[in-house]
């Protein structure tokens, strides 16, 4: 930020091997010095190669990364956004965009810094619960996240906690819960929006004398994600109001692809 302030009144030339200083907005302003000869950079990929930046296989050619909280979110949202947008679908097929999880909201700062150092554009999606919002605010204070490249999954407004599964139709997954765990979701413990989805699910399990822990929650979320990618119509998965919300998020991701 200090260098950006100086550049408002003076020309600034930086010589560095640090990918954080690469100008993504104007690729040709990055000058590559190779064997004593300077030339303008043509694309991000050659800058990555010259700096020795190596990405994991699933991100090796991705210029844009969508960072979500859990692996089940990555699977579900990648499928949903590919159904909502031909542009996103083509970018996924061409490995121009990848969906990855942060392994829990507390890792948000680390993930943002990691992909920034890899010269990836990134879009962040977090749950609207205490952990997600707290991590989002912390990353924002560090300058790692902005409103234009992020979304918070508010299902019930900004005064109640929610998560991705709160967006889904109960009828879509209730048979799965009953058949696999013997838990009926047509109970008062699961109704309403006072608590987020996982908390209401836990209350429903406990009320019906069933154990419920992190392992069970993760297992159920994975099963629901598997159901989502096998469902042709998004209308079977999402109510119209939440489908509209995700369309807005998808449009924001499309804009980042265009930058």
């Amino acid at each position: 930020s200090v260098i950006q302030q100086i550049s408002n009144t003076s020309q600034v030339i930086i010589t560095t091997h640090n990918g954080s200083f690469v100008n993504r907005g104007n690729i040709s302003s990055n000058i590559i010095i190779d064997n004593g000869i300077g030339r303008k950079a043509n694309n991000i990929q050659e800058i990555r190669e010259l700096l020795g930046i190596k990405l994991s296989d699933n991100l090796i050619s991705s210029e844009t990364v969508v960072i979500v909280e859990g692996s089940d979110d990555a699977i579900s949202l990648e499928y949903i956004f590919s159904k909502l947008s031909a542009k996103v679908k083509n970018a996924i097929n061409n490995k121009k965009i990848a969906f990855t999880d942060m392994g829990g909201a507390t890792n948000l700062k680390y993930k943002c810094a990691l992909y920034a150092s890899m010269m990836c554009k990134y879009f962040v999606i977090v749950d609207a619960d205490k952990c997600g919002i707290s991590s989002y605010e912390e990353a924002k204070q560090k300058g790692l996240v902005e409103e234009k490249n992020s979304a918070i999954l508010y299902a019930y407004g900004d005064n109640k906690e929610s998560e991705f599964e709160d967006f889904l139709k109960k009828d879509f997954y209730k048979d799965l819960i009953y058949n696999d765990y013997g838990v009926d979701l047509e109970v008062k413990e699961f109704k309403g929006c006072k608590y987020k989805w996982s908390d209401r699910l836990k209350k429903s399990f406990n009320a019906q004398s069933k154990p419920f822990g992190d392992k069970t929650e993760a297992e159920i979320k994975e099963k629901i994600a598997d159901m989502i990618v096998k469902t042709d119509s998004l209308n079977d998965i999402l109510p119209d109001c939440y489908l509209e919300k995700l369309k807005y998020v998808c449009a924001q991701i499309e804009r980042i692809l265009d930058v």
Side-chain angles (χ1 to χ4, degrees):
S1 61
V2 171
I3 292 172
Q4 287 175 337
Q5 289 175 0
I6 296 172
S7 70
N8 290 329
T9 55
S10 304
Q11 184 180 39
V12 178
I13 298 175
I14 302 171
T15 175
T16 181
H17 293 89
N18 190 331
S20 298
F21 290 101
V22 171
N23 186 344
R24 291 193 60 97
N26 183 8
I27 298 298
S28 63
S29 71
N30 299 288
I31 307 299
I32 295 172
I33 307 297
D34 191 14
N35 293 323
I37 299 174
R39 62 178 177 82
K40 293 181 179 180
N42 294 313
N43 53 62
I44 280 291
Q45 188 60 37
E46 67 173 346
I47 298 175
R48 280 177 173 166
E49 291 172 356
L50 287 165
L51 291 181
I53 295 174
K54 296 180 180 179
L55 309 185
S56 59
D57 290 342
N58 65 318
L59 299 176
I60 195 162
S61 61
S62 300
E63 296 184 0
T64 304
V65 180
V66 179
I67 307 172
V68 299
E69 290 200 23
S71 58
D72 51 292
D73 296 328
I75 293 168
S76 300
L77 290 171
E78 176 177 338
Y79 179 76
I80 290 170
F81 290 141
S82 69
K83 296 282 282 186
L84 290 174
S85 167
K87 181 180 290 185
V88 172
K89 183 177 181 178
N90 288 336
I92 291 170
N93 292 338
N94 294 323
K95 295 187 177 180
K96 296 299 183 183
I97 187 172
F99 288 70
T100 185
D101 69 278
M102 62 186 86
T106 54
N107 294 322
L108 179 58
K109 283 193 305 180
Y110 163 74
K111 284 290 188 176
C112 290
L114 173 66
Y115 293 120
S117 71
M118 291 177 174
M119 292 176 291
C120 293
K121 296 177 289 184
Y122 56 86
F123 189 91
V124 172
I125 301 176
V126 297
D127 290 335
D129 55 16
K130 291 178 182 178
C131 186
I133 293 174
S134 174
S135 297
Y136 171 84
E137 292 296 340
E138 192 174 356
K140 187 177 176 182
Q141 289 176 2
K142 296 290 185 181
L144 295 167
V145 174
E146 300 177 77
E147 283 86 352
K148 66 181 180 181
N149 71 332
S150 61
I152 301 176
L153 297 178
Y154 291 113
Y156 312 121
D158 59 4
N159 62 338
K160 292 181 180 178
E161 289 193 316
S162 60
E163 54 196 311
F164 168 69
E165 286 74 18
D166 283 291
F167 279 52
L168 306 177
K169 288 182 175 180
K170 180 177 64 176
D171 288 345
F172 176 69
Y173 56 79
K174 70 176 185 179
D175 288 344
L176 164 72
I177 306 296
Y178 186 76
N179 293 332
D180 287 9
Y181 302 93
V183 173
D184 184 5
L185 295 185
E186 298 293 347
V187 293
K188 60 183 178 61
E189 286 81 7
F190 196 76
K191 296 183 184 298
C193 57
K194 185 177 181 180
Y195 303 101
K196 65 179 182 179
W197 183 86
S198 56
D199 289 344
R200 289 185 286 118
L201 190 64
K202 180 178 181 179
K203 289 177 183 294
S204 300
F205 268 66
N206 293 164
Q208 297 172 58
S209 302
K210 304 291 185 181
F212 186 89
D214 292 341
K215 184 177 180 180
T216 302
E217 179 184 336
E219 183 179 82
I220 292 173
K221 287 184 175 182
E222 287 176 6
K223 289 181 178 180
I224 291 175
D226 186 55
M227 286 177 59
I228 287 174
V229 300
K230 293 176 180 177
T231 305
D232 290 332
S233 174
L234 294 183
N235 291 317
D236 293 335
I237 302 170
L238 299 152
D240 290 343
C241 58
Y242 293 139
L243 188 56
E244 284 300 310
K245 280 179 178 282
L246 291 181
K247 283 180 180 178
Y248 288 130
V249 176
C250 189
Q252 294 173 51
I253 294 173
E254 286 182 327
R255 287 197 291 271
I256 287 185
L257 286 171
D258 290 334
V259 174

